[in-house]
Structures are given as structure tokens and as C-alpha cells.
Amino acid sequence: PPRSTLFPYTTLFRSIGLIGYNLWDHGSRESPLSLGIGLSYQPVPSLSINFDTVVNFTGFQNYKVDTMTGKVSLDQRTTARLGPGIEWLAGNKVPLRIGLVYDSGLPATYLTAGLGYLSSAFGIDLSYRGKVQGGIENFLMLGIRIFID
């Protein structure tokens, strides 16, 4: 197959994604200048190995107050959220997922896992995310997708 000149190795990946968020300054840490990158490699049809990251250039801000002088300073730095993961599609119907997320801004590390069911009409996903470093935090999520032709 022909190769793209922009990404000369795209035949290795199922998909490559690149996105910019808030490309002009909003002056708010709730809408930081960020860059998202995602890669997905599929060695066999039922297995995908994925990696994504979001680099936050302006959103991490921490105000510090010197207790002796009362002087306020701003600690602002670039942070990244890194997330490798694997998905196996059992029987072409049941996706099983496991992954890890590290966030340098918190700092925290999360373990993620999920399973689901896929048909031609709908999909159901049950997933868990638990903090394994940086405190205690657990999420259990349920998602339903409807496919319309």
C-alpha cells in the first residue's frame, strides 16, 4: 500500500491521532493549551495495543504563599497524562480492556479495566478506574452505545 509522506510508518498502526485544544489563550486554567496524541497498533484483528497522551502546556497552576513575607508566587508548569492500554475482542463480541494512566500534574497513577458487549445494534461497556498511587479514588462507569445506520 502507498505510504503517507506525513506519517511514513502509518501502515504499522490502525490509527494515529493528533489534536490541539484551546489554541489561543483564554486566560483560564479550565481551558488550557493542550496537545493530544493517540496511537493504536493491531498485530492481529482481535488485539489492539494503544497509547495516548495529553500534554497540558498552561493548565497546571499552583499559587504559593510565603508565610514569612506574605509574597504570592505562581508555580506554572507543563504536565502530561500518559495512558498505555490493551484491548482484546473475544469472539468478536466481548471487548476486554486493561490499561494504566499516569498524570504528572496530580501526580497520580490509575489502573483501568473494562469489559463490554457489542452487537450490530448496540454496545454496553462497564469500566473501572482505581488510583494505585497518589491517594484513594475509585470509579465504576457504565456506558451504552446505540448504532444507527
Side-chain angles (χ1 to χ4, degrees):
R3 290 187 176 185
S4 164
T5 56
L6 182 59
F7 295 110
Y9 302 105
T10 54
T11 56
L12 293 175
F13 297 101
R14 184 176 83 186
S15 62
I16 297 174
L18 179 68
I19 188 167
Y21 300 95
N22 304 309
L23 300 178
W24 65 89
D25 186 15
H26 294 277
S28 168
R29 65 190 246 175
E30 280 81 30
S31 55
L33 171 63
S34 302
L35 174 67
I37 303 169
L39 301 171
S40 180
Y41 172 65
Q42 196 168 13
V44 295
S46 62
L47 179 68
S48 63
I49 302 165
N50 309 295
F51 176 80
D52 61 51
T53 185
V54 175
V55 180
N56 182 337
F57 296 104
T58 60
F60 182 86
Q61 298 175 357
N62 187 20
Y63 291 94
K64 295 181 179 180
V65 178
D66 185 325
T67 56
M68 299 297 282
T69 64
K71 185 177 178 182
V72 177
S73 63
L74 174 64
D75 174 23
Q76 184 172 353
R77 67 177 192 261
T78 299
T79 61
R81 178 172 264 205
L82 309 169
I86 295 174
E87 177 183 271
W88 176 50
L89 187 58
N92 215 27
K93 294 279 184 193
V94 180
L96 302 167
R97 302 177 186 99
I98 190 161
L100 196 66
V101 176
Y102 172 71
D103 191 326
S104 68
L106 294 177
T109 303
Y110 301 89
L111 176 66
T112 63
L115 72 113
Y117 175 78
L118 290 173
S119 76
S120 60
F122 70 95
I124 298 174
D125 290 298
L126 181 64
S127 59
Y128 166 78
R129 184 180 81 180
K131 196 181 267 192
V132 294
Q133 179 262 327
I136 298 172
E137 184 178 280
N138 296 292
F139 288 97
L140 188 62
M141 294 156 274
L142 177 67
I144 299 173
R145 296 178 281 165
I146 299 171
F147 306 119
I148 300 172
D149 287 330

mmCIF file of all heavy atoms in Angstrom, residues 37-40 49-55 80-86 98-104 108-110 112:
data_model
loop_
_atom_site.group_PDB
_atom_site.id
_atom_site.type_symbol
_atom_site.label_atom_id
_atom_site.label_comp_id
_atom_site.label_asym_id
_atom_site.label_seq_id
_atom_site.Cartn_x
_atom_site.Cartn_y
_atom_site.Cartn_z
ATOM 1 N N ILE A 37 -2.243 13.202 21.631
ATOM 2 C CA ILE A 37 -1.662 12.277 20.656
ATOM 3 C C ILE A 37 -2.160 10.879 20.990
ATOM 4 O O ILE A 37 -2.154 10.478 22.157
ATOM 5 C CB ILE A 37 -0.128 12.292 20.693
ATOM 6 C CG1 ILE A 37 0.406 13.696 20.444
ATOM 7 C CG2 ILE A 37 0.451 11.298 19.686
ATOM 8 C CD1 ILE A 37 1.881 13.850 20.729
ATOM 9 N N GLY A 38 -2.589 10.128 19.983
ATOM 10 C CA GLY A 38 -3.030 8.752 20.191
ATOM 11 C C GLY A 38 -2.497 7.839 19.101
ATOM 12 O O GLY A 38 -2.436 8.214 17.934
ATOM 13 N N LEU A 39 -2.079 6.641 19.501
ATOM 14 C CA LEU A 39 -1.594 5.621 18.574
ATOM 15 C C LEU A 39 -2.299 4.311 18.884
ATOM 16 O O LEU A 39 -2.533 3.989 20.052
ATOM 17 C CB LEU A 39 -0.089 5.397 18.739
ATOM 18 C CG LEU A 39 0.839 6.564 18.523
ATOM 19 C CD1 LEU A 39 2.254 6.199 18.953
ATOM 20 C CD2 LEU A 39 0.829 6.965 17.071
ATOM 21 N N SER A 40 -2.606 3.551 17.856
ATOM 22 C CA SER A 40 -3.217 2.245 18.044
ATOM 23 C C SER A 40 -2.580 1.268 17.062
ATOM 24 O O SER A 40 -2.571 1.510 15.857
ATOM 25 C CB SER A 40 -4.722 2.323 17.806
ATOM 26 O OG SER A 40 -5.307 1.056 17.983
ATOM 27 N N ILE A 49 -3.193 -2.641 20.694
ATOM 28 C CA ILE A 49 -2.310 -2.068 21.703
ATOM 29 C C ILE A 49 -2.346 -0.564 21.479
ATOM 30 O O ILE A 49 -2.077 -0.085 20.369
ATOM 31 C CB ILE A 49 -0.887 -2.630 21.560
ATOM 32 C CG1 ILE A 49 -0.918 -4.154 21.687
ATOM 33 C CG2 ILE A 49 0.039 -1.997 22.589
ATOM 34 C CD1 ILE A 49 0.340 -4.839 21.223
ATOM 35 N N ASN A 50 -2.698 0.180 22.523
ATOM 36 C CA ASN A 50 -2.966 1.610 22.370
ATOM 37 C C ASN A 50 -2.110 2.444 23.311
ATOM 38 O O ASN A 50 -1.729 1.990 24.387
ATOM 39 C CB ASN A 50 -4.438 1.894 22.668
ATOM 40 C CG ASN A 50 -5.346 0.986 21.886
ATOM 41 O OD1 ASN A 50 -5.397 1.052 20.672
ATOM 42 N ND2 ASN A 50 -6.063 0.108 22.573
ATOM 43 N N PHE A 51 -1.858 3.670 22.899
ATOM 44 C CA PHE A 51 -1.178 4.630 23.757
ATOM 45 C C PHE A 51 -1.742 6.003 23.438
ATOM 46 O O PHE A 51 -1.894 6.364 22.269
ATOM 47 C CB PHE A 51 0.329 4.637 23.520
ATOM 48 C CG PHE A 51 1.029 5.687 24.321
ATOM 49 C CD1 PHE A 51 1.307 5.465 25.661
ATOM 50 C CD2 PHE A 51 1.373 6.901 23.762
ATOM 51 C CE1 PHE A 51 1.919 6.448 26.422
ATOM 52 C CE2 PHE A 51 1.984 7.882 24.512
ATOM 53 C CZ PHE A 51 2.267 7.646 25.839
ATOM 54 N N ASP A 52 -2.076 6.746 24.469
ATOM 55 C CA ASP A 52 -2.466 8.134 24.243
ATOM 56 C C ASP A 52 -1.888 9.016 25.332
ATOM 57 O O ASP A 52 -1.546 8.569 26.415
ATOM 58 C CB ASP A 52 -3.978 8.307 24.110
ATOM 59 C CG ASP A 52 -4.751 7.881 25.338
ATOM 60 O OD1 ASP A 52 -4.408 8.323 26.442
ATOM 61 O OD2 ASP A 52 -5.696 7.108 25.188
ATOM 62 N N THR A 53 -1.749 10.271 24.982
ATOM 63 C CA THR A 53 -1.223 11.248 25.922
ATOM 64 C C THR A 53 -1.872 12.600 25.665
ATOM 65 O O THR A 53 -2.282 12.892 24.548
ATOM 66 C CB THR A 53 0.314 11.374 25.819
ATOM 67 O OG1 THR A 53 0.786 12.260 26.836
ATOM 68 C CG2 THR A 53 0.753 11.913 24.477
ATOM 69 N N VAL A 54 -1.998 13.378 26.716
ATOM 70 C CA VAL A 54 -2.406 14.776 26.606
ATOM 71 C C VAL A 54 -1.345 15.587 27.347
ATOM 72 O O VAL A 54 -1.080 15.354 28.523
ATOM 73 C CB VAL A 54 -3.802 15.034 27.216
ATOM 74 C CG1 VAL A 54 -4.126 16.524 27.186
ATOM 75 C CG2 VAL A 54 -4.861 14.242 26.486
ATOM 76 N N VAL A 55 -0.725 16.499 26.623
ATOM 77 C CA VAL A 55 0.270 17.392 27.206
ATOM 78 C C VAL A 55 -0.429 18.717 27.483
ATOM 79 O O VAL A 55 -0.997 19.323 26.579
ATOM 80 C CB VAL A 55 1.471 17.586 26.262
ATOM 81 C CG1 VAL A 55 2.493 18.519 26.894
ATOM 82 C CG2 VAL A 55 2.108 16.249 25.914
ATOM 83 N N ALA A 80 1.791 16.173 31.805
ATOM 84 C CA ALA A 80 1.357 15.198 30.805
ATOM 85 C C ALA A 80 0.568 14.084 31.467
ATOM 86 O O ALA A 80 0.829 13.717 32.611
ATOM 87 C CB ALA A 80 2.557 14.617 30.075
ATOM 88 N N ARG A 81 -0.399 13.576 30.753
ATOM 89 C CA ARG A 81 -1.168 12.401 31.150
ATOM 90 C C ARG A 81 -0.860 11.319 30.120
ATOM 91 O O ARG A 81 -1.115 11.504 28.936
ATOM 92 C CB ARG A 81 -2.650 12.720 31.187
ATOM 93 C CG ARG A 81 -3.504 11.537 31.555
ATOM 94 C CD ARG A 81 -4.929 11.958 31.772
ATOM 95 N NE ARG A 81 -5.080 12.160 33.194
ATOM 96 C CZ ARG A 81 -6.233 12.069 33.841
ATOM 97 N NH1 ARG A 81 -7.334 11.837 33.186
ATOM 98 N NH2 ARG A 81 -6.285 12.234 35.125
ATOM 99 N N LEU A 82 -0.281 10.214 30.561
ATOM 100 C CA LEU A 82 0.159 9.133 29.684
ATOM 101 C C LEU A 82 -0.698 7.903 29.932
ATOM 102 O O LEU A 82 -0.945 7.546 31.081
ATOM 103 C CB LEU A 82 1.623 8.791 29.953
ATOM 104 C CG LEU A 82 2.589 9.976 29.952
ATOM 105 C CD1 LEU A 82 3.942 9.554 30.486
ATOM 106 C CD2 LEU A 82 2.716 10.554 28.570
ATOM 107 N N GLY A 83 -1.143 7.238 28.858
ATOM 108 C CA GLY A 83 -2.052 6.111 29.032
ATOM 109 C C GLY A 83 -1.858 4.970 28.054
ATOM 110 O O GLY A 83 -2.461 4.990 26.980
ATOM 111 N N PRO A 84 -1.018 3.974 28.384
ATOM 112 C CA PRO A 84 -0.953 2.772 27.556
ATOM 113 C C PRO A 84 -2.084 1.804 27.915
ATOM 114 O O PRO A 84 -2.551 1.785 29.052
ATOM 115 C CB PRO A 84 0.408 2.164 27.914
ATOM 116 C CG PRO A 84 0.645 2.605 29.320
ATOM 117 C CD PRO A 84 -0.011 3.962 29.439
ATOM 118 N N GLY A 85 -2.523 1.010 26.944
ATOM 119 C CA GLY A 85 -3.582 0.043 27.213
ATOM 120 C C GLY A 85 -3.656 -1.033 26.142
ATOM 121 O O GLY A 85 -3.080 -0.901 25.066
ATOM 122 N N ILE A 86 -4.365 -2.101 26.474
ATOM 123 C CA ILE A 86 -4.549 -3.239 25.564
ATOM 124 C C ILE A 86 -6.035 -3.581 25.529
ATOM 125 O O ILE A 86 -6.715 -3.536 26.558
ATOM 126 C CB ILE A 86 -3.757 -4.468 26.051
ATOM 127 C CG1 ILE A 86 -2.262 -4.191 26.012
ATOM 128 C CG2 ILE A 86 -4.071 -5.697 25.212
ATOM 129 C CD1 ILE A 86 -1.426 -5.307 26.608
ATOM 130 N N ILE A 98 -7.546 -3.439 29.507
ATOM 131 C CA ILE A 98 -6.768 -3.125 30.705
ATOM 132 C C ILE A 98 -5.761 -2.036 30.329
ATOM 133 O O ILE A 98 -5.254 -2.014 29.203
ATOM 134 C CB ILE A 98 -6.072 -4.362 31.310
ATOM 135 C CG1 ILE A 98 -5.490 -4.019 32.674
ATOM 136 C CG2 ILE A 98 -5.038 -4.936 30.363
ATOM 137 C CD1 ILE A 98 -5.207 -5.210 33.538
ATOM 138 N N GLY A 99 -5.522 -1.124 31.256
ATOM 139 C CA GLY A 99 -4.607 -0.034 30.965
ATOM 140 C C GLY A 99 -4.091 0.623 32.225
ATOM 141 O O GLY A 99 -4.450 0.249 33.346
ATOM 142 N N LEU A 100 -3.267 1.609 32.010
ATOM 143 C CA LEU A 100 -2.655 2.364 33.088
ATOM 144 C C LEU A 100 -2.697 3.830 32.682
ATOM 145 O O LEU A 100 -2.565 4.149 31.495
ATOM 146 C CB LEU A 100 -1.208 1.900 33.253
ATOM 147 C CG LEU A 100 -0.486 2.257 34.524
ATOM 148 C CD1 LEU A 100 -1.123 1.556 35.715
ATOM 149 C CD2 LEU A 100 0.965 1.852 34.411
ATOM 150 N N VAL A 101 -2.891 4.719 33.623
ATOM 151 C CA VAL A 101 -2.854 6.156 33.357
ATOM 152 C C VAL A 101 -1.944 6.799 34.395
ATOM 153 O O VAL A 101 -2.119 6.563 35.598
ATOM 154 C CB VAL A 101 -4.262 6.796 33.436
ATOM 155 C CG1 VAL A 101 -4.170 8.301 33.251
ATOM 156 C CG2 VAL A 101 -5.198 6.179 32.425
ATOM 157 N N TYR A 102 -0.981 7.581 33.930
ATOM 158 C CA TYR A 102 -0.135 8.349 34.835
ATOM 159 C C TYR A 102 -0.348 9.822 34.526
ATOM 160 O O TYR A 102 -0.263 10.244 33.376
ATOM 161 C CB TYR A 102 1.347 8.002 34.668
ATOM 162 C CG TYR A 102 2.227 8.928 35.466
ATOM 163 C CD1 TYR A 102 2.262 8.838 36.853
ATOM 164 C CD2 TYR A 102 2.963 9.929 34.853
ATOM 165 C CE1 TYR A 102 3.040 9.713 37.601
ATOM 166 C CE2 TYR A 102 3.736 10.801 35.585
ATOM 167 C CZ TYR A 102 3.767 10.688 36.959
ATOM 168 O OH TYR A 102 4.512 11.559 37.705
ATOM 169 N N ASP A 103 -0.632 10.611 35.546
ATOM 170 C CA ASP A 103 -0.842 12.050 35.403
ATOM 171 C C ASP A 103 0.228 12.776 36.214
ATOM 172 O O ASP A 103 0.221 12.715 37.445
ATOM 173 C CB ASP A 103 -2.240 12.422 35.888
ATOM 174 C CG ASP A 103 -2.626 13.844 35.533
ATOM 175 O OD1 ASP A 103 -1.737 14.724 35.528
ATOM 176 O OD2 ASP A 103 -3.810 14.073 35.262
ATOM 177 N N SER A 104 1.150 13.457 35.521
ATOM 178 C CA SER A 104 2.252 14.137 36.214
ATOM 179 C C SER A 104 1.800 15.399 36.937
ATOM 180 O O SER A 104 2.511 15.901 37.799
ATOM 181 C CB SER A 104 3.371 14.473 35.229
ATOM 182 O OG SER A 104 2.953 15.457 34.313
ATOM 183 N N ALA A 108 -0.421 11.202 40.024
ATOM 184 C CA ALA A 108 -1.214 10.025 40.377
ATOM 185 C C ALA A 108 -1.101 8.980 39.274
ATOM 186 O O ALA A 108 -0.872 9.312 38.110
ATOM 187 C CB ALA A 108 -2.677 10.407 40.577
ATOM 188 N N THR A 109 -1.276 7.715 39.668
ATOM 189 C CA THR A 109 -1.288 6.602 38.724
ATOM 190 C C THR A 109 -2.583 5.832 38.928
ATOM 191 O O THR A 109 -2.991 5.579 40.063
ATOM 192 C CB THR A 109 -0.087 5.672 38.954
ATOM 193 O OG1 THR A 109 1.112 6.445 38.851
ATOM 194 C CG2 THR A 109 -0.052 4.550 37.934
ATOM 195 N N TYR A 110 -3.239 5.480 37.835
ATOM 196 C CA TYR A 110 -4.505 4.767 37.866
ATOM 197 C C TYR A 110 -4.393 3.458 37.100
ATOM 198 O O TYR A 110 -3.737 3.394 36.060
ATOM 199 C CB TYR A 110 -5.615 5.592 37.196
ATOM 200 C CG TYR A 110 -5.866 6.929 37.826
ATOM 201 C CD1 TYR A 110 -5.163 8.046 37.408
ATOM 202 C CD2 TYR A 110 -6.817 7.082 38.825
ATOM 203 C CE1 TYR A 110 -5.409 9.284 37.970
ATOM 204 C CE2 TYR A 110 -7.068 8.312 39.391
ATOM 205 C CZ TYR A 110 -6.351 9.412 38.959
ATOM 206 O OH TYR A 110 -6.583 10.642 39.513
ATOM 207 N N THR A 112 -6.793 0.848 35.009
ATOM 208 C CA THR A 112 -8.102 0.838 34.384
ATOM 209 C C THR A 112 -8.391 -0.555 33.838
ATOM 210 O O THR A 112 -7.488 -1.266 33.413
ATOM 211 C CB THR A 112 -8.177 1.857 33.227
ATOM 212 O OG1 THR A 112 -7.245 1.496 32.213
ATOM 213 C CG2 THR A 112 -7.882 3.260 33.717
#
